[in-house]
Amino acid sequence: MNAVKPRAAARLDDRAAAALLSGAVGLFLFNVVFGPIAIVLGVAAARRARPGRPGRVAALAGIGLGIADLVVFAVLVASKIRGGMFVWNVSG
């Protein structure tokens, strides 16, 4: 009888995982910092990964989240511009 061997789970590249994590965190905190980090790590991971592998998909998702971080930052800054001046109130 032929037993089917379970397929080993593909390990995610550390750079791809870091890009994905930084992109996700950057949507909520310090998006101007975490966005570029996610993009740089995502590009580095995507260059190393083969097409169709989970690492490449995670790297591309990290790049997308990094870009989304910067878009969120741009929207936040644009919403705080009043009469040609940048007004940001930090106190609650």
Side-chain angles (χ1 to χ4, degrees):
M1 186 188 242
N2 287 338
V4 177
K5 292 182 181 180
R7 190 172 172 198
R11 188 171 186 287
L12 197 59
D13 182 24
D14 291 338
R15 289 182 185 147
L20 198 57
L21 182 65
S22 341
V25 169
L27 288 174
F28 303 102
L29 298 169
F30 305 112
N31 40 14
V32 73
V33 174
F34 285 116
I37 290 172
I39 293 170
V40 168
L41 288 173
V43 167
R47 285 185 179 174
R48 289 180 43 168
R50 289 178 288 185
R53 302 293 296 172
R56 183 163 176 89
V57 174
L60 295 176
I63 293 169
L65 284 171
I67 292 170
D69 293 344
L70 297 178
V71 168
V72 167
F73 179 72
V75 168
L76 287 173
V77 168
S79 70
K80 297 296 178 183
I81 294 177
R82 305 239 195 283
M85 291 179 45
F86 180 74
V87 180
W88 194 292
N89 187 6
V90 181
S91 64

Coordinates of all heavy atoms in Angstrom, one line a residue:
M1 N 0.8 -1.2 0.0 CA 0.0 0.0 0.0 C 0.9 1.2 0.0 O 1.8 1.4 0.8 CB -0.9 0.0 1.2 CG -1.9 1.1 1.3 SD -2.7 1.1 2.8 CE -4.3 0.7 2.6
N2 N 0.6 2.2 -0.9 CA 1.4 3.4 -1.0 C 0.8 4.5 0.0 O -0.3 4.9 -0.1 CB 1.3 4.0 -2.4 CG 2.1 3.2 -3.4 OD1 3.0 2.5 -2.9 ND2 1.8 3.3 -4.6
A3 N 1.6 4.8 0.9 CA 1.2 5.9 1.8 C 1.6 7.2 1.3 O 2.7 7.4 0.7 CB 1.9 5.7 3.2
V4 N 0.7 8.2 1.4 CA 1.0 9.5 0.9 C 1.7 10.3 2.0 O 1.3 10.4 3.1 CB -0.3 10.2 0.6 CG1 -0.1 11.7 0.1 CG2 -1.1 9.5 -0.5
K5 N 2.9 10.7 1.6 CA 3.7 11.5 2.6 C 3.2 12.9 2.7 O 2.9 13.5 1.7 CB 5.2 11.5 2.2 CG 5.9 10.2 2.2 CD 7.3 10.4 1.8 CE 8.0 9.0 1.9 NZ 9.4 9.1 1.5
P6 N 3.1 13.4 3.9 CA 2.6 14.8 4.0 C 3.7 15.8 3.4 O 4.9 15.5 3.5 CB 2.5 15.1 5.5 CG 3.2 14.0 6.1 CD 3.3 12.8 5.2
R7 N 3.2 16.8 2.7 CA 4.1 17.7 2.1 C 4.6 18.7 3.1 O 3.9 19.2 4.0 CB 3.3 18.5 1.0 CG 4.2 19.3 0.1 CD 3.3 19.9 -1.0 NE 4.1 20.8 -1.7 CZ 3.7 21.7 -2.5 NH1 2.4 21.8 -2.7 NH2 4.5 22.5 -3.1
A8 N 5.9 18.9 3.1 CA 6.5 19.9 4.1 C 6.1 21.3 3.7 O 6.0 21.7 2.6 CB 8.0 19.8 4.0
A9 N 5.8 22.0 4.8 CA 5.3 23.4 4.6 C 6.5 24.2 4.1 O 7.6 24.1 4.6 CB 4.8 24.0 5.9
A10 N 6.2 25.1 3.2 CA 7.3 26.0 2.6 C 7.6 27.0 3.7 O 6.7 27.7 4.2 CB 6.8 26.6 1.3
R11 N 8.9 27.2 4.0 CA 9.3 28.2 5.0 C 9.3 29.6 4.3 O 9.9 29.7 3.2 CB 10.6 27.8 5.5 CG 11.1 28.7 6.7 CD 12.3 28.2 7.3 NE 12.7 28.9 8.5 CZ 13.2 30.1 8.5 NH1 13.4 30.8 7.4 NH2 13.5 30.7 9.7
L12 N 8.8 30.5 5.0 CA 8.8 31.9 4.5 C 10.1 32.5 4.7 O 10.8 32.4 5.8 CB 7.7 32.7 5.3 CG 7.2 34.0 4.7 CD1 6.7 33.8 3.3 CD2 6.2 34.6 5.5
D13 N 10.6 33.2 3.7 CA 11.9 34.0 3.8 C 11.8 35.0 4.9 O 10.8 35.7 5.1 CB 12.2 34.6 2.4 CG 13.5 35.3 2.4 OD1 14.4 35.0 3.2 OD2 13.7 36.2 1.6
D14 N 12.9 35.2 5.7 CA 12.9 36.1 6.8 C 12.6 37.6 6.3 O 11.9 38.3 6.9 CB 14.2 36.1 7.5 CG 14.3 34.8 8.3 OD1 13.3 34.1 8.6 OD2 15.5 34.4 8.6
R15 N 13.2 37.9 5.1 CA 13.0 39.3 4.6 C 11.5 39.5 4.2 O 11.0 40.5 4.4 CB 13.9 39.5 3.4 CG 15.3 39.7 3.8 CD 16.2 40.0 2.6 NE 17.6 40.0 3.0 CZ 18.5 39.6 2.2 NH1 18.3 39.2 1.0 NH2 19.8 39.6 2.6
A16 N 10.9 38.4 3.6 CA 9.5 38.5 3.2 C 8.6 38.7 4.4 O 7.7 39.5 4.4 CB 9.1 37.3 2.4
A17 N 8.9 37.9 5.4 CA 8.1 38.0 6.7 C 8.3 39.4 7.3 O 7.3 39.9 7.8 CB 8.5 36.9 7.6
A18 N 9.5 39.9 7.3 CA 9.7 41.2 7.9 C 9.0 42.3 7.1 O 8.5 43.3 7.7 CB 11.2 41.5 8.0
A19 N 9.0 42.2 5.8 CA 8.3 43.1 4.9 C 6.8 43.1 5.2 O 6.2 44.1 5.3 CB 8.6 42.8 3.4
L20 N 6.3 41.9 5.3 CA 4.9 41.8 5.5 C 4.5 42.3 6.9 O 3.5 43.1 7.0 CB 4.5 40.3 5.5 CG 3.0 39.9 5.3 CD1 2.5 40.5 4.0 CD2 2.9 38.4 5.2
L21 N 5.3 42.1 7.9 CA 5.0 42.6 9.3 C 5.2 44.1 9.3 O 4.3 44.8 9.9 CB 6.0 41.9 10.3 CG 5.8 42.3 11.7 CD1 4.4 41.8 12.2 CD2 6.9 41.7 12.6
S22 N 6.2 44.6 8.7 CA 6.4 46.1 8.8 C 5.3 46.8 8.0 O 4.9 47.9 8.4 CB 7.7 46.6 8.2 OG 8.7 45.6 8.1
G23 N 4.9 46.2 6.9 CA 3.8 46.9 6.1 C 2.5 46.9 6.9 O 1.8 47.9 6.9
A24 N 2.2 45.8 7.6 CA 1.0 45.7 8.4 C 1.0 46.6 9.6 O 0.1 47.3 9.9 CB 0.7 44.3 8.8
V25 N 2.1 46.7 10.3 CA 2.3 47.6 11.4 C 2.2 49.0 11.0 O 1.6 49.9 11.7 CB 3.6 47.3 12.2 CG1 3.9 48.3 13.2 CG2 3.5 45.9 12.9
G26 N 2.8 49.3 9.8 CA 2.9 50.7 9.3 C 1.5 51.3 9.0 O 1.4 52.5 8.9
L27 N 0.5 50.4 8.8 CA -0.8 51.0 8.5 C -1.4 51.7 9.8 O -2.2 52.5 9.7 CB -1.8 49.8 8.1 CG -1.5 49.3 6.7 CD1 -2.4 48.1 6.5 CD2 -1.8 50.4 5.6
F28 N -0.9 51.3 11.0 CA -1.4 51.8 12.2 C -0.4 52.7 13.0 O -0.9 53.6 13.7 CB -1.9 50.7 13.1 CG -2.9 49.8 12.4 CD1 -2.5 48.6 11.9 CD2 -4.2 50.2 12.3 CE1 -3.4 47.7 11.3 CE2 -5.1 49.4 11.7 CZ -4.7 48.1 11.2
L29 N 0.9 52.5 12.8 CA 1.9 53.2 13.6 C 3.0 53.6 12.7 O 3.5 52.8 11.9 CB 2.4 52.3 14.7 CG 1.5 51.9 15.8 CD1 2.2 50.8 16.7 CD2 1.0 53.0 16.6
F30 N 3.5 54.8 12.8 CA 4.7 55.3 12.2 C 4.8 54.9 10.7 O 5.8 54.4 10.2 CB 5.9 54.8 12.9 CG 5.9 55.2 14.4 CD1 5.8 54.2 15.3 CD2 6.0 56.5 14.8 CE1 5.8 54.5 16.7 CE2 6.0 56.8 16.1 CZ 5.9 55.8 17.1
N31 N 3.7 55.2 9.9 CA 3.7 54.7 8.5 C 4.7 55.3 7.7 O 5.2 54.7 6.7 CB 2.3 54.9 7.9 CG 1.7 56.2 8.3 OD1 2.3 57.1 8.8 ND2 0.4 56.3 8.1
V32 N 5.2 56.5 8.0 CA 6.3 57.1 7.2 C 7.6 56.4 7.4 O 8.5 56.4 6.6 CB 6.4 58.6 7.5 CG1 7.0 58.9 8.8 CG2 7.2 59.3 6.4
V33 N 7.8 55.6 8.5 CA 9.0 54.9 8.8 C 8.8 53.4 8.3 O 9.7 52.9 7.6 CB 9.3 54.9 10.3 CG1 10.4 54.0 10.7 CG2 9.5 56.3 10.8
F34 N 7.7 52.8 8.7 CA 7.6 51.4 8.3 C 7.3 51.1 6.9 O 7.5 50.1 6.3 CB 6.5 50.7 9.2 CG 6.9 50.5 10.6 CD1 6.3 51.1 11.7 CD2 7.9 49.6 10.9 CE1 6.7 50.9 13.0 CE2 8.3 49.3 12.2 CZ 7.7 50.0 13.2
G35 N 6.7 52.1 6.2 CA 6.3 52.0 4.8 C 7.6 51.7 3.9 O 7.7 50.7 3.2
P36 N 8.6 52.6 4.0 CA 9.8 52.4 3.2 C 10.6 51.2 3.6 O 11.1 50.5 2.7 CB 10.6 53.7 3.4 CG 9.6 54.7 3.8 CD 8.5 54.0 4.5
I37 N 10.5 50.8 4.9 CA 11.2 49.6 5.3 C 10.5 48.4 4.7 O 11.2 47.5 4.2 CB 11.2 49.5 6.9 CG1 12.1 50.5 7.5 CG2 11.6 48.1 7.3 CD1 12.0 50.7 9.0
A38 N 9.2 48.4 4.7 CA 8.5 47.3 4.0 C 8.8 47.2 2.6 O 9.0 46.1 2.0 CB 7.0 47.4 4.3
I39 N 8.9 48.3 1.9 CA 9.2 48.3 0.4 C 10.6 47.8 0.2 O 10.7 46.9 -0.7 CB 9.0 49.7 -0.1 CG1 7.5 50.1 -0.1 CG2 9.5 49.8 -1.6 CD1 7.2 51.6 -0.4
V40 N 11.6 48.2 0.9 CA 12.9 47.8 0.7 C 13.1 46.3 1.0 O 13.7 45.6 0.2 CB 13.9 48.7 1.5 CG1 15.3 48.1 1.5 CG2 13.9 50.1 1.0
L41 N 12.6 45.9 2.1 CA 12.7 44.4 2.4 C 11.9 43.6 1.5 O 12.3 42.5 1.1 CB 12.2 44.2 3.9 CG 13.1 44.7 5.0 CD1 12.4 44.5 6.3 CD2 14.4 43.9 5.0
G42 N 10.7 44.1 1.0 CA 9.9 43.3 0.0 C 10.6 43.2 -1.3 O 10.6 42.1 -1.9
V43 N 11.3 44.2 -1.8 CA 12.0 44.2 -3.0 C 13.2 43.2 -2.9 O 13.5 42.4 -3.8 CB 12.5 45.6 -3.5 CG1 13.5 45.5 -4.6 CG2 11.3 46.4 -3.9
A44 N 13.9 43.3 -1.8 CA 15.0 42.3 -1.5 C 14.6 40.9 -1.5 O 15.2 40.0 -2.1 CB 15.8 42.7 -0.3
A45 N 13.4 40.6 -0.9 CA 12.9 39.3 -0.8 C 12.4 38.8 -2.1 O 12.6 37.6 -2.5 CB 11.8 39.2 0.3
A46 N 11.8 39.7 -2.9 CA 11.2 39.3 -4.2 C 12.3 39.0 -5.2 O 12.1 38.1 -6.0 CB 10.3 40.4 -4.7
R47 N 13.4 39.6 -5.1 CA 14.5 39.3 -6.0 C 15.1 37.9 -5.7 O 15.6 37.3 -6.6 CB 15.7 40.4 -5.8 CG 15.3 41.7 -6.5 CD 16.4 42.6 -6.4 NE 16.1 43.9 -7.1 CZ 16.9 44.9 -7.1 NH1 18.0 44.9 -6.4 NH2 16.5 46.0 -7.7
R48 N 15.1 37.5 -4.5 CA 15.7 36.2 -4.1 C 14.7 35.1 -4.3 O 15.1 33.9 -4.6 CB 16.1 36.2 -2.6 CG 17.3 37.0 -2.3 CD 17.6 37.0 -0.9 NE 17.5 35.6 -0.3 CZ 18.0 35.3 0.8 NH1 18.6 36.2 1.6 NH2 17.9 34.1 1.2
A49 N 13.4 35.3 -4.2 CA 12.4 34.2 -4.3 C 12.1 33.9 -5.7 O 12.2 34.7 -6.7 CB 11.1 34.7 -3.6
R50 N 11.7 32.6 -5.9 CA 11.2 32.2 -7.2 C 9.8 32.5 -7.4 O 9.0 32.5 -6.4 CB 11.5 30.7 -7.3 CG 12.9 30.3 -7.4 CD 13.1 28.8 -7.5 NE 12.8 28.3 -6.1 CZ 12.9 27.1 -5.8 NH1 13.3 26.2 -6.6 NH2 12.6 26.7 -4.5
P51 N 9.4 32.7 -8.7 CA 7.9 33.0 -8.9 C 7.0 31.9 -8.4 O 7.3 30.7 -8.6 CB 7.9 33.2 -10.4 CG 9.3 33.5 -10.8 CD 10.2 32.8 -9.9
G52 N 5.9 32.2 -7.9 CA 4.9 31.3 -7.4 C 5.2 30.7 -6.0 O 4.4 30.0 -5.5
R53 N 6.3 31.0 -5.4 CA 6.6 30.5 -4.1 C 6.0 31.4 -3.0 O 5.8 32.6 -3.3 CB 8.1 30.5 -3.9 CG 8.9 29.6 -4.9 CD 8.6 28.2 -4.7 NE 9.0 27.7 -3.4 CZ 8.7 26.5 -2.9 NH1 8.0 25.7 -3.6 NH2 9.1 26.2 -1.7
P54 N 5.7 30.9 -1.9 CA 5.0 31.7 -0.8 C 5.9 32.9 -0.4 O 5.3 34.0 -0.1 CB 4.9 30.8 0.4 CG 4.9 29.4 -0.2 CD 5.8 29.5 -1.4
G55 N 7.2 32.8 -0.5 CA 8.1 33.9 -0.1 C 7.9 35.1 -1.1 O 7.9 36.3 -0.7
R56 N 7.7 34.8 -2.3 CA 7.6 35.9 -3.3 C 6.2 36.5 -3.2 O 6.1 37.8 -3.2 CB 7.7 35.3 -4.7 CG 7.6 36.4 -5.8 CD 8.1 35.9 -7.1 NE 8.0 36.8 -8.2 CZ 8.8 37.8 -8.5 NH1 10.0 37.9 -7.8 NH2 8.6 38.6 -9.5
V57 N 5.2 35.8 -2.9 CA 3.9 36.3 -2.7 C 3.9 37.2 -1.4 O 3.3 38.3 -1.5 CB 2.8 35.2 -2.5 CG1 1.5 35.8 -2.2 CG2 2.7 34.4 -3.8
A58 N 4.5 36.8 -0.4 CA 4.6 37.6 0.8 C 5.4 38.8 0.6 O 5.1 39.9 1.1 CB 5.2 36.8 2.0
A59 N 6.5 38.7 -0.2 CA 7.3 39.9 -0.5 C 6.5 40.9 -1.3 O 6.5 42.1 -1.0 CB 8.5 39.5 -1.3
L60 N 5.7 40.5 -2.3 CA 4.9 41.4 -3.0 C 3.8 42.0 -2.2 O 3.5 43.2 -2.3 CB 4.3 40.7 -4.3 CG 5.3 40.2 -5.3 CD1 4.6 39.4 -6.4 CD2 6.1 41.4 -5.9
A61 N 3.2 41.2 -1.3 CA 2.2 41.8 -0.3 C 2.9 42.8 0.6 O 2.3 43.8 0.9 CB 1.6 40.7 0.5
G62 N 4.1 42.6 1.0 CA 4.8 43.6 1.8 C 5.1 44.9 1.1 O 4.9 45.9 1.6
I63 N 5.4 44.7 -0.2 CA 5.6 45.9 -1.0 C 4.3 46.7 -1.1 O 4.3 47.9 -1.0 CB 6.2 45.6 -2.4 CG1 7.6 45.0 -2.3 CG2 6.1 46.8 -3.4 CD1 8.1 44.4 -3.6
G64 N 3.2 46.0 -1.4 CA 1.9 46.6 -1.5 C 1.5 47.3 -0.2 O 1.0 48.4 -0.2
L65 N 1.7 46.6 0.9 CA 1.4 47.3 2.2 C 2.3 48.5 2.5 O 1.8 49.5 3.1 CB 1.6 46.2 3.3 CG 0.4 45.2 3.4 CD1 0.8 44.1 4.4 CD2 -0.9 45.9 3.8
G66 N 3.6 48.4 2.1 CA 4.5 49.6 2.3 C 4.0 50.8 1.5 O 4.0 51.9 1.9
I67 N 3.5 50.5 0.2 CA 3.0 51.6 -0.6 C 1.7 52.1 0.1 O 1.5 53.3 0.1 CB 2.7 51.1 -2.0 CG1 4.1 50.8 -2.7 CG2 1.9 52.1 -2.8 CD1 4.0 50.1 -4.0
A68 N 0.9 51.2 0.6 CA -0.4 51.6 1.3 C -0.1 52.5 2.5 O -0.8 53.5 2.8 CB -1.2 50.4 1.7
D69 N 1.0 52.2 3.2 CA 1.5 53.0 4.3 C 1.7 54.4 3.9 O 1.3 55.4 4.6 CB 2.7 52.4 5.0 CG 2.5 51.1 5.6 OD1 1.3 50.7 5.9 OD2 3.5 50.4 5.9
L70 N 2.5 54.6 2.8 CA 2.8 55.9 2.4 C 1.6 56.7 1.8 O 1.5 57.9 2.0 CB 3.9 55.8 1.3 CG 5.2 55.3 1.8 CD1 6.2 55.2 0.6 CD2 5.8 56.1 2.9
V71 N 0.6 55.9 1.3 CA -0.6 56.6 0.8 C -1.4 57.1 2.0 O -2.0 58.2 2.0 CB -1.5 55.6 -0.1 CG1 -2.9 56.1 -0.3 CG2 -0.7 55.3 -1.4
V72 N -1.5 56.2 3.1 CA -2.2 56.6 4.3 C -1.5 57.9 4.9 O -2.2 58.8 5.3 CB -2.2 55.5 5.3 CG1 -2.6 56.0 6.7 CG2 -3.1 54.4 4.8
F73 N -0.2 57.9 4.9 CA 0.5 59.1 5.4 C 0.2 60.3 4.6 O -0.1 61.4 5.1 CB 2.0 58.8 5.4 CG 2.8 60.0 5.9 CD1 2.8 60.3 7.3 CD2 3.6 60.7 5.1 CE1 3.5 61.4 7.7 CE2 4.3 61.8 5.5 CZ 4.3 62.2 6.9
A74 N 0.2 60.2 3.2 CA -0.1 61.3 2.4 C -1.5 61.8 2.6 O -1.8 63.0 2.6 CB 0.1 60.9 0.9
V75 N -2.5 60.9 2.8 CA -3.9 61.3 3.1 C -4.0 62.0 4.4 O -4.6 63.1 4.5 CB -4.8 60.1 3.0 CG1 -6.2 60.4 3.6 CG2 -4.9 59.6 1.6
L76 N -3.3 61.5 5.4 CA -3.3 62.2 6.7 C -2.7 63.6 6.6 O -3.2 64.5 7.2 CB -2.5 61.3 7.7 CG -3.2 60.1 8.2 CD1 -2.2 59.3 9.1 CD2 -4.5 60.4 9.0
V77 N -1.6 63.7 5.9 CA -0.9 65.0 5.8 C -1.8 66.0 5.0 O -2.0 67.1 5.4 CB 0.5 64.9 5.2 CG1 1.0 66.3 4.8 CG2 1.4 64.2 6.1
A78 N -2.4 65.5 3.9 CA -3.3 66.3 3.1 C -4.5 66.8 3.8 O -5.0 67.9 3.6 CB -3.7 65.6 1.8
S79 N -5.0 65.9 4.8 CA -6.2 66.3 5.5 C -5.9 67.3 6.6 O -6.8 68.0 7.1 CB -6.8 65.1 6.1 OG -6.0 64.6 7.2
K80 N -4.6 67.5 6.9 CA -4.2 68.5 7.9 C -3.8 69.8 7.4 O -3.3 70.7 8.1 CB -3.1 67.9 8.8 CG -3.6 66.7 9.6 CD -4.7 67.1 10.6 CE -5.2 65.8 11.3 NZ -6.3 66.2 12.2
I81 N -3.8 70.0 6.1 CA -3.4 71.2 5.5 C -4.6 72.2 5.4 O -5.6 71.8 4.8 CB -2.8 71.0 4.1 CG1 -1.5 70.2 4.2 CG2 -2.5 72.3 3.3 CD1 -0.8 69.9 2.9
R82 N -4.5 73.3 6.0 CA -5.6 74.3 6.0 C -5.1 75.6 5.6 O -4.2 76.2 6.3 CB -6.2 74.4 7.4 CG -6.6 73.1 8.0 CD -8.1 73.1 8.4 NE -8.5 72.0 9.2 CZ -8.7 70.8 8.9 NH1 -8.5 70.4 7.6 NH2 -9.1 69.9 9.7
G83 N -5.6 76.2 4.6 CA -5.2 77.5 4.1 C -3.7 77.6 3.8 O -3.1 78.6 4.1
G84 N -3.1 76.6 3.3 CA -1.7 76.6 2.9 C -0.7 76.3 4.0 O 0.5 76.3 3.9
M85 N -1.3 76.0 5.2 CA -0.4 75.8 6.4 C -0.7 74.3 6.9 O -1.8 73.8 6.8 CB -0.7 76.7 7.5 CG -0.3 78.1 7.2 SD -0.6 79.3 8.5 CE -0.1 78.5 10.0
F86 N 0.3 73.7 7.4 CA 0.2 72.4 7.9 C -0.1 72.5 9.4 O 0.7 73.1 10.2 CB 1.5 71.6 7.7 CG 1.5 70.2 8.3 CD1 0.8 69.2 7.6 CD2 2.2 69.9 9.4 CE1 0.7 68.0 8.0 CE2 2.1 68.6 9.9 CZ 1.4 67.6 9.2
V87 N -1.3 72.0 9.8 CA -1.7 72.1 11.2 C -1.9 70.7 11.8 O -2.8 70.0 11.3 CB -3.0 72.9 11.4 CG1 -3.5 73.0 12.8 CG2 -2.9 74.3 10.7
W88 N -1.2 70.3 12.8 CA -1.3 69.0 13.4 C -1.3 69.1 14.9 O -0.4 69.6 15.5 CB -0.1 68.1 13.0 CG -0.3 66.7 13.3 CD1 -0.4 66.0 14.5 CD2 -0.4 65.6 12.3 NE1 -0.6 64.7 14.3 CE2 -0.6 64.4 13.0 CE3 -0.4 65.6 10.9 CZ2 -0.7 63.2 12.3 CZ3 -0.6 64.4 10.3 CH2 -0.7 63.2 11.0
N89 N -2.5 68.8 15.5 CA -2.6 68.9 16.9 C -2.4 67.5 17.5 O -3.1 66.6 17.3 CB -4.1 69.4 17.2 CG -4.2 69.7 18.7 OD1 -3.3 69.6 19.4 ND2 -5.5 70.0 19.0
V90 N -1.3 67.4 18.3 CA -1.0 66.2 18.9 C -1.7 65.9 20.2 O -2.0 64.8 20.6 CB 0.6 66.1 19.2 CG1 1.0 64.8 19.8 CG2 1.3 66.3 17.9
S91 N -2.1 67.0 20.9 CA -2.8 66.8 22.2 C -4.2 66.3 22.0 O -4.8 66.6 21.0 CB -2.8 68.1 23.0 OG -3.5 69.1 22.3
G92 N -4.7 65.5 22.9 CA -6.0 64.8 22.7 C -7.1 65.8 22.8 O -8.1 65.8 22.4

